[in-house]
Amino acid sequence: MQIETRNTTPYLDQKPGTSGLRKKVKIFMQENYLENFVQSVFDVLGDVQGKVLVLGGDGRYFNREALQIIIKMSAANGVGRLLIGKGGLLSTPAASCVIRKHHAHGGFILSASHNPGGPDEDFGIKYNVTNGGPAPESFTNAVYARSREISQYRIGAAPLIDLDSIGEFQAGPTTVQIIDAVEDYADLMEHLFDFKLISQALKAGSITLCFDAMHAITGPYAKRILEEQLGAPHGSVINGIPKEDFGGGHPDPNLVYAHELAELMMSPNAPMLGAASDGDGDRNMIMGARFFVTPSDSVAVLAANAHLLPGYRGGLRGVARSMPTSQALDRVAKAMGIDCYETPTGWKFFGNLLDAKKITLCGEESFGTGSDHVREKDGLWAVLFWLNLVAVKKQSVAEIVREHWKKFGRDYYSRHDYEGVDSTAAEGILALLNGQLAELPGKTFGHYTVEFADNFRYVDPVDGSVSENQGLRIVFTNGSRIVFRLSGTGTQGATVRIYFELYERDPQKHGQDTQAVLKELIDLAESLSEVKQRSGMDKPTVIT
Ligand code: G16
């Protein structure tokens, strides 16, 4: 195979965000744009001679073309073996699973997650390291620095690889192995959950299920595991064929974008469990019949009940949540006598805690839940966890959550997003708030007195690394909170996220409307931040 070293000029905008580099497809299709980023990763990795890398993506537009480029560049950079999911597909948690199981050096995951796909939409790429998790900030910062000075990249003249045939091919020094995208992941799930019990309940009809794959990557995984292995009736998985443009939809599993499922679950014909996953399969939304489980509650319920499931019978070492996620998990941890860590937003921050065996389970408000089985959040895993729980407890989803609130109290929780805000205006909103933080403690607004207000700073308890500017939080004396931050995953303008939380111990008050309960905090946040005037929007674009 002939190896070519091509000259290139740097792009200055290749800074990875919360989870890898995400941009419009058209940006990625610019000359050498993808090549520059991939070579920057190889340059930071150093010697990859003979090493194993995993490759796969969520199947969105440009996935296949990008994979062929990365295969040629891997060969030119001396990679020993590439493991690639059939069809170029691997869900993000499955990629993490394959990296770990096959002791790979790392892997490239091609996805812009929950962002829409298609020629005018989004594409993304991220590198995961040996533990199967997203590369830490030190690595992504080094890649960014490299991308700003890159002058050459290496590419091999390898023929196009048939991504749709399982088997081995040679691309110069690199063996390219096309693997079943689902198998390793499905094996792992079988070890964590009581497949026999779930299967009996599904076949007997004592549990009914609808899983919305949103035309994205989890279709093949859900069909194989839920329908073929566990015996859920055919049709339990809807929108199960991955499409390059996700059927024109927005593959984000929340009440707004997963509306087909949400409508079914709110109808009289609702099955017992409704669930959806996102573009790359790492997010999940859980619903019961006419009942929505907030992601913050979901991780708390899972932690409180983990001991009932085969993979977690030994108990939990500790748990973790991202800072804006509600404190429902902290209450469970306290009752169990285990540590609960508070990390910045971004799954990468859980990796060290999992590797150091400080935690077993973790979750985020952004529809992410996971455990030490892989180093990514895992959508289908969460669905199987809930299925197993419903089968063991023989209760509905709503009953399980209400019982949980009765025991621990309820954290009313909501996130308001203002999407597509002019970047300067969005930064102005955060700057305005930042300037007020020092004066807020001790001030009273209606029913709320500020206990403290700060710009969240994280010191990793494992390696001591420091992450600054991770969101502004205003914490009140009654434990309520308002958190403000800018999203790190958008590709157009800025997204201002405002998170609200109010704790209610009294079970008599657990049945109220969330937005109504949070109204005073919402009004306060809007007035302190001037978000409406400065964004020019009279309401949030998405409320979850
Ligand atoms: C990514 C990260 C998550 C994060 C989410 C939202 O998820 O892995 O840890 O919570 O983005 O981040 P932001 O609030 O900055 O937009 P995904 O599913 O997009 O890969």
Side-chain angles (χ1 to χ4, degrees):
M1 185 192 70
Q2 203 189 330
I3 293 174
E4 229 187 289
T5 300
R6 292 189 190 157
N7 291 333
T8 185
T9 42
Y11 288 92
L12 301 180
D13 64 345
Q14 298 195 323
K15 185 171 174 49
T18 308
S19 183
L21 185 66
R22 290 186 193 166
K23 301 277 178 197
K24 291 284 166 207
V25 167
K26 294 220 157 74
I27 292 185
F28 265 103
M29 288 172 94
Q30 295 173 98
E31 193 182 11
N32 297 338
Y33 192 90
L34 176 70
E35 289 85 343
N36 278 12
F37 187 78
V38 171
Q39 187 63 53
S40 300
V41 172
F42 278 123
D43 290 349
V44 171
L45 281 173
D47 185 10
V48 288
Q49 295 286 327
K51 293 196 168 141
V52 179
L53 289 187
V54 172
L55 265 189
D58 62 11
R60 69 178 58 227
Y61 185 82
F62 194 52
N63 191 50
R64 284 174 177 261
E65 293 84 341
L67 280 174
Q68 298 288 357
I69 292 170
I70 300 173
I71 292 169
K72 290 177 187 178
M73 291 186 67
S74 299
N77 281 278
V79 171
R81 179 176 287 267
L82 285 173
L83 299 177
I84 307 180
K86 188 178 169 206
L89 301 177
L90 275 179
S91 77
T92 290
S96 182
C97 164
V98 173
I99 292 172
R100 292 169 70 79
K101 182 165 175 177
H102 297 273
H103 307 290
H105 191 57
F108 286 98
I109 303 177
L110 307 185
S111 170
S113 186
H114 54 290
N115 295 7
D120 296 318
E121 299 295 352
D122 295 353
F123 190 76
I125 178 168
K126 68 171 176 169
Y127 184 78
N128 278 29
V129 292
T130 310
N131 73 356
E137 272 192 337
S138 53
F139 185 96
T140 53
N141 287 342
V143 171
Y144 176 49
R146 180 69 195 141
S147 74
R148 293 172 69 89
E149 59 188 29
I150 192 163
S151 59
Q152 291 186 325
Y153 67 87
R154 284 185 290 287
I155 190 156
L160 288 185
I161 297 289
D162 177 3
L163 297 171
D164 297 305
S165 304
I166 288 187
E168 289 195 357
F169 306 88
Q170 209 58 37
T174 309
T175 304
V176 180
Q177 187 179 350
I178 307 296
I179 59 169
D180 182 314
V182 182
E183 198 170 279
D184 289 329
Y185 178 82
D187 281 353
L188 178 59
M189 292 301 113
E190 207 167 344
H191 284 97
L192 297 176
F193 302 113
D194 190 342
F195 268 33
K196 199 169 153 207
L197 181 77
I198 301 172
S199 177
Q200 279 165 355
L202 284 169
K203 285 180 181 157
S206 52
I207 297 182
T208 49
L209 162 78
C210 178
F211 179 88
D212 187 350
M214 303 188 83
H215 301 292
I217 188 72
T218 38
Y221 293 85
K223 280 194 174 169
R224 174 95 61 94
I225 297 173
L226 299 175
E227 293 187 0
E228 290 172 28
Q229 281 181 255
L230 291 170
H234 184 72
S236 301
V237 176
I238 60 170
N239 301 321
I241 297 174
K243 293 189 180 158
E244 284 196 334
D245 66 348
F246 308 117
H250 201 128
D252 196 357
N254 59 41
L255 293 173
V256 177
Y257 295 120
H259 51 87
E260 185 178 348
L261 177 78
E263 277 155 31
L264 172 71
M265 294 310 294
M266 289 303 170
S267 78
N269 308 324
M272 279 182 80
L273 182 69
S277 194
D278 70 333
D280 63 331
D282 57 0
R283 297 184 174 205
N284 73 90
M285 176 172 76
I286 300 292
M287 297 184 78
R290 294 163 294 284
F291 191 88
F292 168 68
V293 186
T294 70
S296 293
D297 276 344
S298 180
V299 64
V301 170
L302 298 190
N305 293 286
H307 59 282
L308 299 173
L309 274 54
Y312 304 93
R313 278 214 175 102
L316 304 179
R317 296 189 181 100
V319 291
R321 62 165 172 84
S322 65
M323 183 275 280
T325 303
S326 97
Q327 298 162 89
L329 183 61
D330 307 41
R331 304 182 205 290
V332 174
K334 194 170 172 211
M336 292 168 83
I338 57 174
D339 288 328
C340 180
Y341 296 86
E342 186 176 42
T343 62
T345 294
W347 204 261
K348 56 184 176 246
F349 293 103
F350 294 134
N352 273 354
L353 297 170
L354 289 161
D355 285 348
K357 301 197 183 308
K358 287 184 177 296
I359 61 168
T360 311
L361 214 96
C362 41
E364 293 187 280
E365 51 67 39
S366 55
F367 295 83
T369 335
S371 83
D372 59 354
H373 68 287
V374 288
R375 293 294 181 273
E376 288 279 3
K377 58 185 181 283
D378 190 344
L380 200 47
W381 168 89
V383 178
L384 289 164
F385 204 130
W386 271 97
L387 263 178
N388 202 153
L389 207 56
V390 170
V392 171
K393 290 181 85 92
K394 298 191 170 42
Q395 286 176 305
S396 72
V397 170
E399 282 164 351
I400 292 173
V401 177
R402 289 201 182 106
E403 194 178 273
H404 183 92
W405 289 341
K406 214 167 167 186
K407 187 164 174 196
F408 296 98
R410 176 173 182 187
D411 287 86
Y412 280 98
Y413 186 83
S414 184
R415 185 177 99 188
H416 289 198
D417 293 337
Y418 293 78
E419 298 170 314
V421 179
D422 170 75
S423 298
T424 313
E427 272 153 29
I429 291 168
L430 271 279
L432 174 71
L433 287 160
N434 212 4
Q436 299 174 60
L437 293 178
E439 293 148 26
L440 285 176
K443 276 199 180 165
T444 298
F445 302 92
H447 293 93
Y448 299 92
T449 301
V450 178
E451 183 170 333
F452 72 91
D454 68 357
N455 187 340
F456 183 60
R457 172 181 193 266
Y458 181 63
V459 182
D460 186 303
V462 179
D463 63 16
S465 58
V466 176
S467 302
E468 307 274 1
N469 295 321
Q470 297 297 326
L472 308 180
R473 52 180 180 176
I474 305 176
V475 182
F476 300 92
T477 49
N478 64 0
S480 295
R481 299 191 308 166
I482 307 175
V483 174
F484 301 84
R485 56 181 286 281
L486 297 184
S487 159
T489 56
T491 56
Q492 216 162 26
T495 295
V496 180
R497 301 205 196 284
I498 314 181
Y499 313 75
F500 306 95
E501 176 178 11
L502 180 152
Y503 178 61
E504 179 56 70
R505 184 72 197 90
D506 182 358
Q508 301 301 321
K509 297 183 181 163
H510 286 168
Q512 303 174 74
D513 174 69
T514 299
Q515 300 304 317
V517 169
L518 297 172
K519 174 91 172 51
E520 201 177 332
L521 289 173
I522 294 169
D523 290 346
L524 175 59
E526 289 173 359
S527 92
L528 288 176
S529 66
E530 297 179 7
V531 63
K532 289 187 175 167
Q533 301 92 299
R534 287 173 180 253
S535 69
M537 297 177 185
D538 59 359
K539 57 178 192 320
T541 41
V542 178
I543 295 181
T544 44

